[in-house]
PDB file of all heavy atoms in Angstrom:
ATOM      1  N   ALA A 298     106.406  52.898 118.703  1.00 53.00           N
ATOM      2  CA  ALA A 298     105.202  52.168 119.081  1.00 53.00           C
ATOM      3  C   ALA A 298     105.597  50.977 119.939  1.00 53.00           C
ATOM      4  O   ALA A 298     106.606  50.331 119.684  1.00 53.00           O
ATOM      5  CB  ALA A 298     104.488  51.696 117.829  1.00 53.00           C
ATOM      6  N   GLU A 299     104.844  50.750 120.972  1.00 54.00           N
ATOM      7  CA  GLU A 299     105.182  49.627 121.843  1.00 54.00           C
ATOM      8  C   GLU A 299     104.353  48.409 121.453  1.00 54.00           C
ATOM      9  O   GLU A 299     103.143  48.495 121.321  1.00 54.00           O
ATOM     10  CB  GLU A 299     104.866  49.986 123.289  1.00 54.00           C
ATOM     11  CG  GLU A 299     105.876  50.944 123.864  1.00 54.00           C
ATOM     12  CD  GLU A 299     105.546  51.267 125.313  1.00 54.00           C
ATOM     13  OE1 GLU A 299     104.987  50.380 125.998  1.00 54.00           O
ATOM     14  OE2 GLU A 299     105.857  52.377 125.734  1.00 54.00           O
ATOM     15  N   VAL A 300     105.022  47.337 121.266  1.00 51.00           N
ATOM     16  CA  VAL A 300     104.304  46.102 120.958  1.00 51.00           C
ATOM     17  C   VAL A 300     104.622  45.101 122.058  1.00 51.00           C
ATOM     18  O   VAL A 300     105.774  44.762 122.285  1.00 51.00           O
ATOM     19  CB  VAL A 300     104.722  45.531 119.588  1.00 51.00           C
ATOM     20  CG1 VAL A 300     103.961  44.258 119.272  1.00 51.00           C
ATOM     21  CG2 VAL A 300     104.523  46.569 118.504  1.00 51.00           C
ATOM     22  N   ARG A 301     103.621  44.719 122.769  1.00 53.00           N
ATOM     23  CA  ARG A 301     103.854  43.759 123.849  1.00 53.00           C
ATOM     24  C   ARG A 301     103.055  42.491 123.594  1.00 53.00           C
ATOM     25  O   ARG A 301     101.833  42.495 123.683  1.00 53.00           O
ATOM     26  CB  ARG A 301     103.406  44.363 125.178  1.00 53.00           C
ATOM     27  CG  ARG A 301     104.301  45.464 125.644  1.00 53.00           C
ATOM     28  CD  ARG A 301     103.824  45.962 126.982  1.00 53.00           C
ATOM     29  NE  ARG A 301     104.535  47.167 127.349  1.00 53.00           N
ATOM     30  CZ  ARG A 301     104.238  47.897 128.398  1.00 53.00           C
ATOM     31  NH1 ARG A 301     103.234  47.556 129.171  1.00 53.00           N
ATOM     32  NH2 ARG A 301     104.931  48.974 128.679  1.00 53.00           N
ATOM     33  N   ILE A 302     103.784  41.473 123.250  1.00 53.00           N
ATOM     34  CA  ILE A 302     103.113  40.179 123.111  1.00 53.00           C
ATOM     35  C   ILE A 302     103.807  39.214 124.052  1.00 53.00           C
ATOM     36  O   ILE A 302     105.012  39.007 123.969  1.00 53.00           O
ATOM     37  CB  ILE A 302     103.169  39.664 121.662  1.00 53.00           C
ATOM     38  CG1 ILE A 302     102.462  40.673 120.730  1.00 53.00           C
ATOM     39  CG2 ILE A 302     102.532  38.290 121.538  1.00 53.00           C
ATOM     40  CD1 ILE A 302     102.568  40.342 119.266  1.00 53.00           C
ATOM     41  N   ASN A 303     103.094  38.708 124.951  1.00 55.00           N
ATOM     42  CA  ASN A 303     103.704  37.822 125.929  1.00 55.00           C
ATOM     43  C   ASN A 303     102.786  36.631 126.195  1.00 55.00           C
ATOM     44  O   ASN A 303     102.070  36.572 127.187  1.00 55.00           O
ATOM     45  CB  ASN A 303     103.960  38.620 127.218  1.00 55.00           C
ATOM     46  CG  ASN A 303     104.782  37.821 128.194  1.00 55.00           C
ATOM     47  OD1 ASN A 303     105.401  36.845 127.815  1.00 55.00           O
ATOM     48  ND2 ASN A 303     104.782  38.252 129.451  1.00 55.00           N
ATOM     49  N   TYR A 304     102.783  35.759 125.254  1.00 52.00           N
ATOM     50  CA  TYR A 304     101.882  34.623 125.379  1.00 52.00           C
ATOM     51  C   TYR A 304     102.613  33.307 125.581  1.00 52.00           C
ATOM     52  O   TYR A 304     102.164  32.270 125.153  1.00 52.00           O
ATOM     53  CB  TYR A 304     101.000  34.530 124.137  1.00 52.00           C
ATOM     54  CG  TYR A 304      99.872  35.514 124.173  1.00 52.00           C
ATOM     55  CD1 TYR A 304      99.873  36.609 123.315  1.00 52.00           C
ATOM     56  CD2 TYR A 304      98.823  35.369 125.068  1.00 52.00           C
ATOM     57  CE1 TYR A 304      98.837  37.522 123.339  1.00 52.00           C
ATOM     58  CE2 TYR A 304      97.787  36.280 125.097  1.00 52.00           C
ATOM     59  CZ  TYR A 304      97.798  37.352 124.246  1.00 52.00           C
ATOM     60  OH  TYR A 304      96.776  38.259 124.269  1.00 52.00           O
ATOM     61  N   SER A 305     103.779  33.381 126.180  1.00 52.00           N
ATOM     62  CA  SER A 305     104.467  32.116 126.402  1.00 52.00           C
ATOM     63  C   SER A 305     105.132  32.106 127.771  1.00 52.00           C
ATOM     64  O   SER A 305     105.328  33.147 128.388  1.00 52.00           O
ATOM     65  CB  SER A 305     105.529  31.913 125.326  1.00 52.00           C
ATOM     66  OG  SER A 305     106.453  32.967 125.406  1.00 52.00           O
ATOM     67  N   GLY A 306     105.453  30.969 128.222  1.00 52.00           N
ATOM     68  CA  GLY A 306     106.230  30.867 129.450  1.00 52.00           C
ATOM     69  C   GLY A 306     105.399  30.603 130.692  1.00 52.00           C
ATOM     70  O   GLY A 306     105.856  29.909 131.594  1.00 52.00           O
ATOM     71  N   ASP A 307     104.199  31.134 130.742  1.00 54.00           N
ATOM     72  CA  ASP A 307     103.397  30.937 131.939  1.00 54.00           C
ATOM     73  C   ASP A 307     102.512  29.696 131.771  1.00 54.00           C
ATOM     74  O   ASP A 307     101.567  29.685 130.995  1.00 54.00           O
ATOM     75  CB  ASP A 307     102.531  32.185 132.164  1.00 54.00           C
ATOM     76  CG  ASP A 307     101.869  32.168 133.520  1.00 54.00           C
ATOM     77  OD1 ASP A 307     101.888  31.093 134.153  1.00 54.00           O
ATOM     78  OD2 ASP A 307     101.361  33.215 133.936  1.00 54.00           O
ATOM     79  N   SER A 308     102.832  28.691 132.503  1.00 56.00           N
ATOM     80  CA  SER A 308     102.125  27.426 132.292  1.00 56.00           C
ATOM     81  C   SER A 308     100.659  27.501 132.732  1.00 56.00           C
ATOM     82  O   SER A 308      99.800  26.810 132.220  1.00 56.00           O
ATOM     83  CB  SER A 308     102.838  26.305 133.041  1.00 56.00           C
ATOM     84  OG  SER A 308     102.858  26.622 134.422  1.00 56.00           O
ATOM     85  N   GLU A 309     100.402  28.382 133.693  1.00 58.00           N
ATOM     86  CA  GLU A 309      99.027  28.461 134.205  1.00 58.00           C
ATOM     87  C   GLU A 309      98.045  29.018 133.168  1.00 58.00           C
ATOM     88  O   GLU A 309      96.895  28.610 133.100  1.00 58.00           O
ATOM     89  CB  GLU A 309      98.992  29.370 135.435  1.00 58.00           C
ATOM     90  CG  GLU A 309      99.121  28.576 136.727  1.00 58.00           C
ATOM     91  CD  GLU A 309      98.992  29.469 137.930  1.00 58.00           C
ATOM     92  OE1 GLU A 309      98.090  30.321 137.930  1.00 58.00           O
ATOM     93  OE2 GLU A 309      99.809  29.303 138.845  1.00 58.00           O
ATOM     94  N   THR A 310      98.567  29.983 132.385  1.00 55.00           N
ATOM     95  CA  THR A 310      97.677  30.606 131.395  1.00 55.00           C
ATOM     96  C   THR A 310      97.895  30.049 129.997  1.00 55.00           C
ATOM     97  O   THR A 310      97.348  30.583 129.022  1.00 55.00           O
ATOM     98  CB  THR A 310      97.895  32.140 131.364  1.00 55.00           C
ATOM     99  OG1 THR A 310      99.278  32.380 131.138  1.00 55.00           O
ATOM    100  CG2 THR A 310      97.436  32.792 132.643  1.00 55.00           C
ATOM    101  N   GLU A 311      98.661  29.016 129.910  1.00 55.00           N
ATOM    102  CA  GLU A 311      98.955  28.448 128.597  1.00 55.00           C
ATOM    103  C   GLU A 311      97.649  27.990 127.926  1.00 55.00           C
ATOM    104  O   GLU A 311      96.813  27.323 128.557  1.00 55.00           O
ATOM    105  CB  GLU A 311      99.885  27.242 128.761  1.00 55.00           C
ATOM    106  CG  GLU A 311     100.620  26.927 127.478  1.00 55.00           C
ATOM    107  CD  GLU A 311     101.654  25.828 127.673  1.00 55.00           C
ATOM    108  OE1 GLU A 311     101.847  25.377 128.812  1.00 55.00           O
ATOM    109  OE2 GLU A 311     102.234  25.432 126.681  1.00 55.00           O
ATOM    110  N   GLY A 312      97.511  28.353 126.672  1.00 54.00           N
ATOM    111  CA  GLY A 312      96.288  27.953 125.969  1.00 54.00           C
ATOM    112  C   GLY A 312      95.231  29.028 125.972  1.00 54.00           C
ATOM    113  O   GLY A 312      94.306  29.006 125.174  1.00 54.00           O
ATOM    114  N   ASP A 313      95.377  30.029 126.872  1.00 57.00           N
ATOM    115  CA  ASP A 313      94.374  31.101 126.921  1.00 57.00           C
ATOM    116  C   ASP A 313      94.481  32.042 125.733  1.00 57.00           C
ATOM    117  O   ASP A 313      93.538  32.717 125.380  1.00 57.00           O
ATOM    118  CB  ASP A 313      94.549  31.958 128.188  1.00 57.00           C
ATOM    119  CG  ASP A 313      94.061  31.213 129.413  1.00 57.00           C
ATOM    120  OD1 ASP A 313      93.527  30.107 129.231  1.00 57.00           O
ATOM    121  OD2 ASP A 313      94.218  31.743 130.520  1.00 57.00           O
ATOM    122  N   TRP A 314      95.682  32.100 125.184  1.00 54.00           N
ATOM    123  CA  TRP A 314      95.951  33.107 124.157  1.00 54.00           C
ATOM    124  C   TRP A 314      94.998  33.036 122.972  1.00 54.00           C
ATOM    125  O   TRP A 314      94.568  34.035 122.442  1.00 54.00           O
ATOM    126  CB  TRP A 314      97.403  33.000 123.667  1.00 54.00           C
ATOM    127  CG  TRP A 314      97.706  31.708 122.960  1.00 54.00           C
ATOM    128  CD1 TRP A 314      98.080  30.544 123.527  1.00 54.00           C
ATOM    129  CD2 TRP A 314      97.618  31.478 121.561  1.00 54.00           C
ATOM    130  NE1 TRP A 314      98.250  29.578 122.592  1.00 54.00           N
ATOM    131  CE2 TRP A 314      97.974  30.130 121.357  1.00 54.00           C
ATOM    132  CE3 TRP A 314      97.295  32.261 120.451  1.00 54.00           C
ATOM    133  CZ2 TRP A 314      98.002  29.564 120.088  1.00 54.00           C
ATOM    134  CZ3 TRP A 314      97.332  31.692 119.194  1.00 54.00           C
ATOM    135  CH2 TRP A 314      97.677  30.353 119.029  1.00 54.00           C
ATOM    136  N   LEU A 315      94.666  31.802 122.593  1.00 55.00           N
ATOM    137  CA  LEU A 315      93.819  31.640 121.421  1.00 55.00           C
ATOM    138  C   LEU A 315      92.449  32.299 121.670  1.00 55.00           C
ATOM    139  O   LEU A 315      91.953  33.074 120.866  1.00 55.00           O
ATOM    140  CB  LEU A 315      93.656  30.159 121.109  1.00 55.00           C
ATOM    141  CG  LEU A 315      93.019  29.841 119.774  1.00 55.00           C
ATOM    142  CD1 LEU A 315      93.860  30.389 118.642  1.00 55.00           C
ATOM    143  CD2 LEU A 315      92.835  28.354 119.595  1.00 55.00           C
ATOM    144  N   GLU A 316      91.929  32.000 122.841  1.00 54.00           N
ATOM    145  CA  GLU A 316      90.617  32.544 123.194  1.00 54.00           C
ATOM    146  C   GLU A 316      90.643  34.079 123.239  1.00 54.00           C
ATOM    147  O   GLU A 316      89.722  34.745 122.805  1.00 54.00           O
ATOM    148  CB  GLU A 316      90.249  32.010 124.572  1.00 54.00           C
ATOM    149  CG  GLU A 316      88.760  31.829 124.759  1.00 54.00           C
ATOM    150  CD  GLU A 316      88.499  31.143 126.081  1.00 54.00           C
ATOM    151  OE1 GLU A 316      89.112  30.066 126.325  1.00 54.00           O
ATOM    152  OE2 GLU A 316      87.746  31.704 126.858  1.00 54.00           O
ATOM    153  N   GLU A 317      91.770  34.590 123.783  1.00 54.00           N
ATOM    154  CA  GLU A 317      91.867  36.038 123.926  1.00 54.00           C
ATOM    155  C   GLU A 317      92.012  36.744 122.593  1.00 54.00           C
ATOM    156  O   GLU A 317      91.627  37.893 122.446  1.00 54.00           O
ATOM    157  CB  GLU A 317      93.078  36.401 124.799  1.00 54.00           C
ATOM    158  CG  GLU A 317      92.824  36.159 126.276  1.00 54.00           C
ATOM    159  CD  GLU A 317      94.070  36.373 127.099  1.00 54.00           C
ATOM    160  OE1 GLU A 317      94.894  37.213 126.708  1.00 54.00           O
ATOM    161  OE2 GLU A 317      94.223  35.686 128.111  1.00 54.00           O
ATOM    162  N   ARG A 318      92.610  36.031 121.653  1.00 54.00           N
ATOM    163  CA  ARG A 318      92.912  36.683 120.378  1.00 54.00           C
ATOM    164  C   ARG A 318      91.769  36.601 119.370  1.00 54.00           C
ATOM    165  O   ARG A 318      91.706  37.412 118.454  1.00 54.00           O
ATOM    166  CB  ARG A 318      94.154  36.042 119.750  1.00 54.00           C
ATOM    167  CG  ARG A 318      95.399  36.515 120.426  1.00 54.00           C
ATOM    168  CD  ARG A 318      96.585  35.969 119.732  1.00 54.00           C
ATOM    169  NE  ARG A 318      97.738  36.780 119.992  1.00 54.00           N
ATOM    170  CZ  ARG A 318      98.828  36.733 119.265  1.00 54.00           C
ATOM    171  NH1 ARG A 318      98.911  35.923 118.241  1.00 54.00           N
ATOM    172  NH2 ARG A 318      99.852  37.476 119.562  1.00 54.00           N
ATOM    173  N   VAL A 319      90.911  35.644 119.540  1.00 56.00           N
ATOM    174  CA  VAL A 319      89.814  35.510 118.586  1.00 56.00           C
ATOM    175  C   VAL A 319      88.798  36.620 118.841  1.00 56.00           C
ATOM    176  O   VAL A 319      88.468  36.908 119.983  1.00 56.00           O
ATOM    177  CB  VAL A 319      89.151  34.121 118.732  1.00 56.00           C
ATOM    178  CG1 VAL A 319      87.891  34.029 117.895  1.00 56.00           C
ATOM    179  CG2 VAL A 319      90.131  33.047 118.340  1.00 56.00           C
ATOM    180  N   ALA A 320      88.340  37.253 117.763  1.00 56.00           N
ATOM    181  CA  ALA A 320      87.380  38.350 117.915  1.00 56.00           C
ATOM    182  C   ALA A 320      86.082  37.824 118.497  1.00 56.00           C
ATOM    183  O   ALA A 320      85.637  36.734 118.149  1.00 56.00           O
ATOM    184  CB  ALA A 320      87.124  38.977 116.557  1.00 56.00           C
ATOM    185  N   ASP A 321      85.524  38.615 119.408  1.00 56.00           N
ATOM    186  CA  ASP A 321      84.263  38.234 120.011  1.00 56.00           C
ATOM    187  C   ASP A 321      83.138  38.511 119.015  1.00 56.00           C
ATOM    188  O   ASP A 321      82.912  39.658 118.634  1.00 56.00           O
ATOM    189  CB  ASP A 321      84.068  39.073 121.285  1.00 56.00           C
ATOM    190  CG  ASP A 321      82.789  38.737 122.002  1.00 56.00           C
ATOM    191  OD1 ASP A 321      82.024  37.904 121.483  1.00 56.00           O
ATOM    192  OD2 ASP A 321      82.563  39.301 123.077  1.00 56.00           O
ATOM    193  N   PRO A 322      82.421  37.467 118.565  1.00 54.00           N
ATOM    194  CA  PRO A 322      81.387  37.690 117.556  1.00 54.00           C
ATOM    195  C   PRO A 322      80.222  38.531 118.076  1.00 54.00           C
ATOM    196  O   PRO A 322      79.440  39.064 117.302  1.00 54.00           O
ATOM    197  CB  PRO A 322      80.925  36.277 117.195  1.00 54.00           C
ATOM    198  CG  PRO A 322      81.302  35.443 118.361  1.00 54.00           C
ATOM    199  CD  PRO A 322      82.521  36.067 118.964  1.00 54.00           C
ATOM    200  N   TYR A 323      80.105  38.609 119.396  1.00 56.00           N
ATOM    201  CA  TYR A 323      78.986  39.379 119.950  1.00 56.00           C
ATOM    202  C   TYR A 323      79.344  40.846 120.174  1.00 56.00           C
ATOM    203  O   TYR A 323      78.516  41.645 120.577  1.00 56.00           O
ATOM    204  CB  TYR A 323      78.505  38.749 121.265  1.00 56.00           C
ATOM    205  CG  TYR A 323      78.041  37.337 121.047  1.00 56.00           C
ATOM    206  CD1 TYR A 323      78.845  36.263 121.425  1.00 56.00           C
ATOM    207  CD2 TYR A 323      76.826  37.101 120.406  1.00 56.00           C
ATOM    208  CE1 TYR A 323      78.431  34.960 121.184  1.00 56.00           C
ATOM    209  CE2 TYR A 323      76.413  35.805 120.165  1.00 56.00           C
ATOM    210  CZ  TYR A 323      77.214  34.735 120.553  1.00 56.00           C
ATOM    211  OH  TYR A 323      76.799  33.463 120.305  1.00 56.00           O
ATOM    212  N   ASP A 324      80.636  41.156 119.945  1.00 55.00           N
ATOM    213  CA  ASP A 324      81.062  42.527 120.135  1.00 55.00           C
ATOM    214  C   ASP A 324      80.795  43.312 118.849  1.00 55.00           C
ATOM    215  O   ASP A 324      81.541  43.258 117.905  1.00 55.00           O
ATOM    216  CB  ASP A 324      82.555  42.558 120.477  1.00 55.00           C
ATOM    217  CG  ASP A 324      83.047  43.974 120.690  1.00 55.00           C
ATOM    218  OD1 ASP A 324      82.189  44.860 120.823  1.00 55.00           O
ATOM    219  OD2 ASP A 324      84.271  44.186 120.720  1.00 55.00           O
ATOM    220  N   LYS A 325      79.680  44.047 118.852  1.00 54.00           N
ATOM    221  CA  LYS A 325      79.322  44.763 117.622  1.00 54.00           C
ATOM    222  C   LYS A 325      79.579  46.262 117.783  1.00 54.00           C
ATOM    223  O   LYS A 325      78.973  47.086 117.136  1.00 54.00           O
ATOM    224  CB  LYS A 325      77.847  44.494 117.312  1.00 54.00           C
ATOM    225  CG  LYS A 325      77.574  43.036 117.035  1.00 54.00           C
ATOM    226  CD  LYS A 325      76.714  42.889 115.810  1.00 54.00           C
ATOM    227  CE  LYS A 325      76.609  41.458 115.355  1.00 54.00           C
ATOM    228  NZ  LYS A 325      75.394  40.804 115.718  1.00 54.00           N
ATOM    229  N   ASN A 326      80.485  46.615 118.697  1.00 63.00           N
ATOM    230  CA  ASN A 326      80.699  48.029 118.966  1.00 63.00           C
ATOM    231  C   ASN A 326      81.118  48.826 117.739  1.00 63.00           C
ATOM    232  O   ASN A 326      80.595  49.895 117.480  1.00 63.00           O
ATOM    233  CB  ASN A 326      81.766  48.212 120.053  1.00 63.00           C
ATOM    234  CG  ASN A 326      81.169  47.930 121.408  1.00 63.00           C
ATOM    235  OD1 ASN A 326      79.955  47.901 121.523  1.00 63.00           O
ATOM    236  ND2 ASN A 326      82.004  47.713 122.400  1.00 63.00           N
ATOM    237  N   ALA A 327      82.093  48.268 117.005  1.00 59.00           N
ATOM    238  CA  ALA A 327      82.620  48.996 115.856  1.00 59.00           C
ATOM    239  C   ALA A 327      81.519  49.235 114.831  1.00 59.00           C
ATOM    240  O   ALA A 327      81.350  50.346 114.327  1.00 59.00           O
ATOM    241  CB  ALA A 327      83.761  48.217 115.230  1.00 59.00           C
TER     242      ALA A 327
END
Side-chain angles (χ1 to χ4, degrees):
Chain A
E299 285 181 31
V300 181
R301 289 182 189 173
I302 300 174
N303 189 17
Y304 281 109
S305 60
D307 191 347
S308 60
E309 266 184 44
T310 55
E311 201 174 356
D313 286 355
W314 65 274
L315 191 61
E316 211 173 308
E317 284 174 31
R318 283 185 157 197
V319 172
D321 181 357
Y323 300 103
D324 180 13
K325 297 226 170 101
N326 283 344

